[in-house]
Amino acid sequence: MKSVFWIMMVLGITLTIHEAGADEECSTVTALVSACASFVNYGTPDPIPGEPCCVAMTSLSNVASSTGIETRQSVCRCMMDLITTYNPNATAIATLPGFCGVSLGFTIDPTTDCEYVS
């Protein structure tokens, strides 16, 4: 039942990103990544993030790969902002897509230039 709740919540958030401006897109990205807060902050569940986190990462991957380049670049900028803001947890944030078996279409790394993400 918890899984169904998370899936519905994440789908609702994901649908709003298509209609959102840049600030709202970052709010959506932050909300999706927040499903991974326990893993990012504490490394639990160990050694991989739990189902709600991976559902969120899958949704984020779908948005980044199924919409225009501008949206992917915006998602990239938002992720770069997150790893800059939460620098002590940057590695954990950067590993989320890989642990969940998805790709966002760019590398989550402080040196990534989101303007060249295609």
Side-chain angles (χ1 to χ4, degrees), residues 78-90 93-94 108-110:
C78 295
M79 292 299 289
M80 296 311 126
D81 288 348
L82 282 174
I83 65 170
T84 300
T85 302
Y86 300 101
N87 191 8
N89 305 85
I93 293 169
I108 302 173
D109 183 274

Side-chain angles (χ1 to χ4, degrees), residues 9 14 19-20 36 73 113 117:
M9 184 185 88
T14 302
E19 301 168 3
C36 307
Q73 289 173 338
D113 186 344
V117 169

Side-chain angles (χ1 to χ4, degrees), residues 53-62 65 94-106 108:
C53 175
C54 287
V55 168
M57 288 299 101
T58 299
S59 294
L60 192 56
S61 173
N62 289 340
S65 65
T95 62
L96 290 171
F99 274 133
C100 293
V102 299
S103 172
L104 299 179
F106 56 88
I108 302 173

Side-chain angles (χ1 to χ4, degrees), residues 10-21:
V10 168
L11 286 175
I13 291 170
T14 302
L15 292 174
T16 63
I17 199 169
H18 295 290
E19 301 168 3

